[in-house]
Every structure is written in C-alpha cells, then in structure tokens.
Amino acid sequence: RMRQRFGDHITVGCAGENVIVETAVSLTLDELAAGLVIVASDGQEIRLEQPSVMLPCRPFSRFCLQAGDHAPAPVMKETLQFLDNGMRGFAVVLGSETAVIRPGDKLFLADQVSN
C-alpha cells in the first residue's frame, strides 16, 4: 500500500525493517496483542512479545513524499496519519535470548499456535 501511494522508491526494506513478513492482509495492533510465534523449518517456536506500532516520523514521511525538507504541513499531516496504526510495521520483543530466523519460516498469531 505504501508503494502504491508513494511510488517505486518505496522498496522492501527501505524503512529499516529487521524482519519482513509477506501477508495478504493488514494486521492491527489489537490482532497482534497476544504476540506472535515464528515456527522455524526445524519446528522451533520463536516467541515475539509485546508488539507495538512503529510510529511514523517526519524524516521517513519526507522520504516517502520525496519532498526533502519542504513538504507542506497539510500533506505532511496526511502522510503521518497514513503511516500510523502499523502501516510502517510493528516492533516486538524477542521472547528468548537468541533466535535464528530464516526465509521461509512461518509466522502465526500466538493465540493460533497450540503449546
């Protein structure tokens, strides 16, 4: 949705993501409240807890707009609002000391994984 709105300069990883998840739906913080679980190909479960919204910031909003320091205030406000509520993604706390996450591992809502 960000690329559709702002253009092709919005590429996967341009917002400093550590983990990128491909999904057909947008999720809300309420839906993530119980946390997440990554199930690795070897069956290991990696818990991701305490999700929070990655809040939008002016520098990233300017980058999206390709406006430098000169984005009009109403456009900046609208952009910040669009990028809020999880559009930029979510931050989580790793539920263990270390974990190895690999491409192809599966991510689930914690309340959908049986212990």
Side-chain angles (χ1 to χ4, degrees):
R1 290 179 45 210
M2 290 170 53
R3 185 177 299 132
Q4 288 174 336
R5 183 178 179 120
F6 299 116
D8 290 338
H9 67 288
I10 304 297
T11 58
V12 173
C14 75
E17 303 89 346
N18 296 96
V19 175
I20 298 170
V21 176
E22 183 177 343
T23 178
V25 298
S26 295
L27 297 169
T28 66
L29 185 58
D30 287 342
E31 292 170 308
L32 303 178
L36 300 156
V37 176
I38 296 174
V39 178
S41 58
D42 64 2
Q44 176 190 13
E45 292 187 1
I46 302 163
R47 301 237 169 238
L48 305 174
E49 303 167 343
Q50 302 173 31
S52 61
V53 169
M54 291 298 300
L55 297 173
C57 64
R58 291 184 181 281
F60 186 71
S61 297
R62 288 185 191 109
F63 167 75
C64 289
L65 293 167
Q66 294 186 310
D69 293 334
H70 306 292
V75 173
M76 183 61 77
K77 178 180 178 181
E78 182 180 304
T79 301
L80 288 163
Q81 290 172 335
F82 174 79
L83 293 172
D84 202 359
N85 299 314
M87 177 59 66
R88 281 195 58 205
F90 300 90
V92 292
V93 174
L94 183 60
S96 61
E97 196 170 306
T98 62
V100 176
I101 300 169
R102 293 182 178 85
D105 289 350
K106 305 294 182 192
L107 180 72
F108 299 91
L109 298 173
D111 56 7
Q112 294 180 345
V113 176
S114 60
N115 292 337

